[in-house]
Amino acid sequence: MEEESSPINRDVLLIADVALPHIDLAKFYPILSVLSIHPWLSSSQMRASGQTVCFKSLHVGLSDGMNLFATERTVRANPSSSPVAKASDVRMMRRQIFATLRPLSEPPVSQTDKVLAIIHRAGKGTSRRGIYNLEELLEIGAGRGARGELLVFEDMTLNQQVAAMQRVTVLVGVTGTGLWNALWMRDGAAGIQLFPFGVVFKGGVEFQSAIRHGPGTYIAWSADRIFDSSKRVPGGPSCAAPRGCTVDELLHPLSPIPAQALLAPDQFWEQDWGWAWMFYYGQDLIHVDPAQFHSLLDATGVL
């Protein structure tokens, strides 16, 4: 068990290599700012001073244990790169954030009402990386005794985001920055990351790390159909949700989609990264099969 009462040292200086950290760093700015009691400095300010600045210690970028993008594969490819994230370092950062934003309660998940929360992007009902059958999934949660919530993080302050995460039992979201908020969930909660077809082979490792080092229980689901209203079966129906298109339907001599993009997405990412990005990340709202969603909730062990 890690010690939760470690003193928080906020007598540190934060230095950004951008002109306007409160704008350029977006939501990371308030998260980092709670770690210091001093105004931010910039590299340009330090150079303009014409003086030598000495520090007792200097940490550049993320610490060795907090690069949530790092994987065993990235380390093998470049041994000098950041190592895989350490749970102990990530949890230390969590403690610092929680200590600064008190009063926040962290009752055990087993002692609170069940809440199934789904990340929803404000004003983007027909955008990429959304869920077509949101209401159906919330109804499934209700049938399991969970209150449903749609979370629109764009409309929340950092304090509100952390508070919202503290009451969530299971967080569900299509791979994207909203899943960073899983870091603020209570131990014992669960996060489910949903992937459009083909995306799992390139993206989402940082959100997987956030969930594993936050609430602890991570579940992944990947669509086996292409959901894209701009594509259709040659001579047949559209690939838009809820129907979508199967791989076999799009393996057609008249289809403009390369066969490898359908049959071996992992290899296609390596072959043509640009085309792969536009194809896989360019999909529309996905439809999550209700039976499969029940299985995902079973796997969490808490709902």
Side-chain angles (χ1 to χ4, degrees), residues 4 91 94-112 162-163 165-167 183-188 214-215:
E4 296 290 332
R91 289 182 175 274
R94 274 164 46 95
R95 290 199 302 271
Q96 291 178 319
I97 296 294
F98 290 157
T100 304
L101 297 181
R102 298 293 186 195
L104 281 175
S105 61
E106 297 180 70
V109 169
S110 60
Q111 297 179 16
T112 58
V162 175
M165 287 295 89
Q166 290 282 289
R167 62 176 180 264
L183 279 169
W184 318 132
M185 296 173 73
R186 294 166 292 160
D187 291 345

Side-chain angles (χ1 to χ4, degrees), residues 44-257:
S44 58
Q45 286 175 322
M46 297 174 65
R47 286 191 295 268
S49 70
Q51 298 178 339
T52 300
V53 181
C54 298
F55 299 93
K56 290 182 178 179
S57 63
L58 180 66
H59 299 271
V60 180
L62 293 171
S63 76
D64 280 346
M66 289 182 60
N67 184 354
L68 300 186
F69 290 88
T71 65
E72 297 292 347
R73 182 177 179 180
T74 62
V75 173
R76 286 196 302 271
N78 182 7
S80 65
S81 64
S82 298
V84 176
K86 297 177 183 176
S88 58
D89 283 9
V90 177
R91 289 182 175 274
M92 177 187 69
M93 182 270 290
R94 274 164 46 95
R95 290 199 302 271
Q96 291 178 319
I97 296 294
F98 290 157
T100 304
L101 297 181
R102 298 293 186 195
L104 281 175
S105 61
E106 297 180 70
V109 169
S110 60
Q111 297 179 16
T112 58
D113 294 337
K114 304 297 184 183
V115 175
L116 170 66
I118 300 179
I119 299 173
H120 181 62
R121 290 169 174 80
K124 298 181 181 179
T126 58
S127 73
R128 298 173 298 164
R129 286 186 285 167
I131 303 173
Y132 179 85
N133 54 330
L134 276 173
E135 297 299 331
E136 184 177 24
L137 302 188
L138 290 175
E139 289 176 5
I140 290 174
R144 290 168 167 259
R147 185 177 79 253
E149 290 190 17
L150 290 182
L151 297 176
V152 183
F153 291 123
E154 296 94 320
D155 298 337
M156 298 183 188
T157 65
L158 172 63
N159 299 59
Q160 291 171 334
Q161 291 173 348
V162 175
M165 287 295 89
Q166 290 282 289
R167 62 176 180 264
V168 172
T169 311
V170 176
L171 178 68
V172 179
V174 179
T175 184
T177 55
L179 285 170
W180 280 120
N181 289 284
L183 279 169
W184 318 132
M185 296 173 73
R186 294 166 292 160
D187 291 345
I192 300 175
Q193 182 171 201
L194 307 175
F195 290 96
F197 179 85
V199 173
V200 70
F201 296 103
K202 179 56 65 173
V205 64
E206 64 274 32
F207 310 124
Q208 174 181 340
S209 297
I211 294 170
R212 288 195 188 281
H213 298 324
T217 301
Y218 172 75
I219 309 293
W221 174 90
S222 185
D224 58 3
R225 289 173 173 256
I226 292 85
F227 295 102
D228 189 337
S229 59
S230 70
K231 296 177 176 58
R232 61 188 317 110
V233 176
S238 165
C239 294
R243 182 189 183 280
C245 292
T246 67
V247 168
D248 288 342
E249 288 176 327
L250 295 178
L251 283 173
H252 190 283
L254 299 179
S255 174
I257 303 172

